[in-house]
Amino acid sequence: MARFEILEQAISELAALPGIGRRSASRIAMHLLKAEEYRARALLASIEELRSQIRFCDICGGLSHESICHICADASRSHEELCVVEEPSDIFAIENTGEFNGDYHVLMGALSPLDGIGPEELTIAALLKRVESGNYAEIFIATNPTLEGDATASYIGELLSGKKMLLTRLMHGIPTGSALEYADNSTLARSIRSRQRLE
Amino acid sequence: MARFEILEQAISELAALPGIGRRSASRIAMHLLKAEEYRARALLASIEELRSQIRFCDICGGLSHESICHICADASRSHEELCVVEEPSDIFAIENTGEFNGDYHVLMGALSPLDGIGPEELTIAALLKRVESGNYAEIFIATNPTLEGDATASYIGELLSGKKMLLTRLMHGIPTGSALEYADNSTLARSIRSRQRLE
């Protein structure tokens, strides 16, 4: 007996989502089929609304309801520092610290040649344009402390190395509240290399 | 800064799907937001179609396009054996072996007291009614070889123990802890041929 083509189609679509294999996709499809109408409606409506109500800011690439996000539109913020992040959600994390009051630039990922993500797949050309036309004293690269994030930071660092502005990188070290004993080796190594003068 | 409420809503809905935690839900939401319109449309349309085109058969609970599925409607099949499975997808697996030509009954799950799934959450009452009104010589219980599947088989076995028909259980060949749906065809076929009387 052939399986139901429509079910197969739904499973294929679900399996194309990140982190979902065919087995999970199959479970999710059966769950959606069994779900009460209002539950299925709620899921579909939330995805529709997500796409219709939220977009990427034309300037920084962060999440926004309008074409320009509230951070880029905020006249009280400094336009002398530009913080470069991988994903729109990274902006939330940095904003929550209250430690940064400048502009943002979202790369929409990190360099990962094995996954076919080169400079063209990221918003690096737009970043260079912003740096050229802007008046930045500091470019603060806050990509993730991963192989891809580090490679991306180095790549951008090289591109901007001739410019007059300060280039900074998010400091890696031991998370607050954790114990030295349980820090992983590479984090501890980086945190030792970048040790600071005790004030 | 508060996160976007619509994004949070979508993440919550996605995290309610089976096997998806908040972190995966968040990745999926961002993926859906970035996705091209035709890709997002295809996913939503496939879920809509799944729900509008496929239903559960009024008799056996298997997947169907009509109110009665093509297996229940097939006059050439035997109505002397009834195969009891956990999920509609288990019917595909058994049909593919070509070893069984009787009726099916889908329980819509297995007993799992810790998850709040008791006999009332399954279609056990409907099963008893079918057994009473039918003319079955054999009830073949093909629940998964898991703790829950075995408990469900025992429970049904006890309910039917006073009846005159043969009670059998799918047993040999399938490794404990695995799911029927993913068993390879020949293992499943052998296990159907050597099904044993339920004690």
Side-chain angles (χ1 to χ4, degrees):
Chain A
M1 188 178 93
R3 277 166 167 263
F4 288 71
E5 215 174 288
I6 289 166
L7 176 63
E8 288 301 319
Q9 184 59 34
I11 292 173
S12 296
E13 290 292 343
L14 289 165
L17 295 174
I20 297 191
R22 271 201 70 84
R23 197 166 170 162
S24 314
S26 180
R27 275 182 69 201
I28 293 172
M30 286 307 297
H31 172 90
L32 289 172
L33 199 49
K34 287 182 191 173
E36 288 187 68
E37 185 62 20
Y38 82 98
R39 294 293 310 137
R41 279 287 126 233
L43 171 68
L44 295 178
S46 77
I47 295 173
E48 300 258 16
E49 245 193 297
L50 178 71
R51 289 186 52 92
S52 65
Q53 302 288 312
I54 301 186
R55 45 176 299 176
F56 299 107
C57 170
D58 285 350
I59 298 175
C60 73
L63 298 186
S64 179
H65 290 295
E66 318 290 336
S67 60
I68 308 295
C69 76
H70 72 284
I71 294 178
C72 287
D74 184 349
S76 76
R77 293 182 72 107
S78 155
H79 297 298
E80 302 211 325
E81 294 110 44
L82 180 65
C83 175
V84 179
V85 294
E86 292 182 20
E87 297 290 339
S89 47
D90 295 331
I91 295 179
F92 301 134
I94 293 178
E95 283 296 287
N96 278 335
T97 67
E99 296 283 343
F100 182 78
N101 192 41
D103 290 340
Y104 286 100
H105 186 86
V106 180
L107 295 170
M108 293 294 174
L111 293 174
S112 181
L114 289 179
D115 301 316
I117 301 177
E120 275 72 40
E121 276 66 48
L122 305 180
T123 62
I124 288 179
L127 170 64
L128 294 183
K129 209 180 263 179
R130 286 184 76 185
V131 169
E132 286 299 340
S133 61
N135 217 345
Y136 295 112
E138 177 183 350
I139 310 294
F140 165 34
I141 305 177
T143 50
N144 284 326
T146 58
L147 214 63
E148 291 81 11
D150 286 343
T152 310
S154 302
Y155 182 82
I156 294 171
E158 267 173 52
L159 288 179
L160 299 178
S161 61
K163 313 273 182 235
K164 65 185 187 309
M165 74 272 294
L166 186 66
L167 281 180
T168 55
R169 172 94 172 94
L170 192 67
M171 170 81 92
H172 300 305
I174 301 177
T176 309
S178 71
L180 209 77
E181 187 180 353
Y182 304 112
D184 70 282
N185 207 54
S186 80
T187 301
L188 189 55
R190 287 180 85 143
S191 136
I192 290 172
R193 280 198 299 273
S194 58
R195 62 188 181 272
Q196 299 187 329
R197 178 188 292 269
L198 197 71
E199 316 282 2
Chain B
M1 188 179 93
R3 277 166 166 260
F4 289 71
E5 215 174 287
I6 288 166
L7 176 62
E8 289 301 319
Q9 182 60 33
I11 292 173
S12 296
E13 290 292 343
L14 290 165
L17 295 174
I20 298 190
R22 272 201 70 84
R23 197 164 172 166
S24 314
S26 180
R27 276 182 70 202
I28 293 171
M30 286 308 297
H31 173 90
L32 289 172
L33 200 49
K34 286 182 190 171
E36 287 187 71
E37 184 63 19
Y38 82 98
R39 293 293 311 137
R41 278 288 124 232
L43 172 67
L44 295 178
S46 76
I47 296 174
E48 301 256 17
E49 244 192 298
L50 178 70
R51 288 186 54 92
S52 66
Q53 303 286 312
I54 300 185
R55 45 174 299 176
F56 299 107
C57 170
D58 285 349
I59 298 176
C60 72
L63 298 186
S64 180
H65 290 295
E66 318 290 335
S67 60
I68 309 293
C69 76
H70 72 285
I71 294 179
C72 287
D74 184 348
S76 75
R77 293 181 73 103
S78 156
H79 296 299
E80 301 209 326
E81 293 110 43
L82 180 65
C83 176
V84 180
V85 295
E86 293 181 21
E87 299 289 340
S89 46
D90 295 331
I91 295 179
F92 300 135
I94 293 179
E95 283 296 288
N96 277 337
T97 67
E99 296 281 344
F100 182 78
N101 192 41
D103 290 341
Y104 286 99
H105 186 85
V106 179
L107 295 170
M108 291 296 173
L111 293 175
S112 182
L114 290 178
D115 302 315
I117 301 178
E120 276 72 41
E121 275 68 47
L122 306 180
T123 62
I124 288 180
L127 170 63
L128 294 183
K129 209 180 264 180
R130 287 184 76 186
V131 170
E132 287 297 340
S133 61
N135 217 345
Y136 293 112
E138 177 183 351
I139 309 295
F140 165 34
I141 305 176
T143 50
N144 283 327
T146 58
L147 215 61
E148 292 80 10
D150 286 342
T152 309
S154 302
Y155 182 82
I156 293 172
E158 267 172 53
L159 287 180
L160 299 179
S161 61
K163 314 274 183 230
K164 64 187 188 309
M165 74 270 295
L166 187 67
L167 281 181
T168 55
R169 170 95 172 94
L170 186 71
M171 260 177 198
H172 280 96
I174 301 178
T176 307
S178 69
L180 208 80
E181 187 180 354
Y182 303 106
D184 69 283
N185 208 54
S186 77
T187 302
L188 189 56
R190 196 175 319 156
S191 143
I192 290 173
R193 279 197 301 274
S194 62
R195 61 188 183 270
Q196 300 187 329
R197 176 188 294 269
L198 194 74
E199 318 282 1

